[in-house]
Amino acid sequence: MASNTGNILLGILAGAAVGAGLGILFAPDKGASTRKKIKDGFDDVSENLKNRFRKGSIDLESKFEYFLSHTDSKREEVIDALEKKLGELKKEAATAKN
């Protein structure tokens, strides 16, 4: 669902950028002024996308850290259980040997 929201937002931003660009191109203004407006518009869209990417990477990093912290505790539980089972097997092997 988050992916759909991101795609929708990206589509809206792209549509707004294209619409603004077309509006500027057809507006009666000097060429240099029009080019500056287009450049400023693309700069704004570029900055918005960079901010979104930064936020997404921070969210991904925090989720990864959460995953790692929870797998560490599970790993310790598994190691403890395996060590306990190994001890039991060693006792059984020693008993069977005698």
Side-chain angles (χ1 to χ4, degrees), residues 28-49:
D29 209 350
K30 292 183 179 180
S33 177
T34 300
R35 286 189 297 277
K36 183 177 179 344
K37 288 178 184 177
I38 291 172
K39 180 189 175 301
D40 290 344
F42 281 118
D43 288 345
D44 289 343
V45 169
S46 174
E47 190 61 34
N48 285 337
L49 289 175

Side-chain angles (χ1 to χ4, degrees), residues 60-90:
L60 183 61
E61 186 177 338
S62 67
K63 287 177 183 176
F64 185 68
E65 290 294 327
Y66 176 81
F67 172 76
L68 287 180
S69 69
H70 282 75
T71 56
D72 281 344
S73 64
K74 293 295 181 189
R75 183 185 72 213
E76 292 299 322
E77 290 175 19
V78 169
I79 289 172
D80 289 342
L82 289 174
E83 286 175 343
K84 182 179 177 182
K85 188 65 174 174
L86 180 61
E88 291 171 4
L89 290 173
K90 283 182 179 180

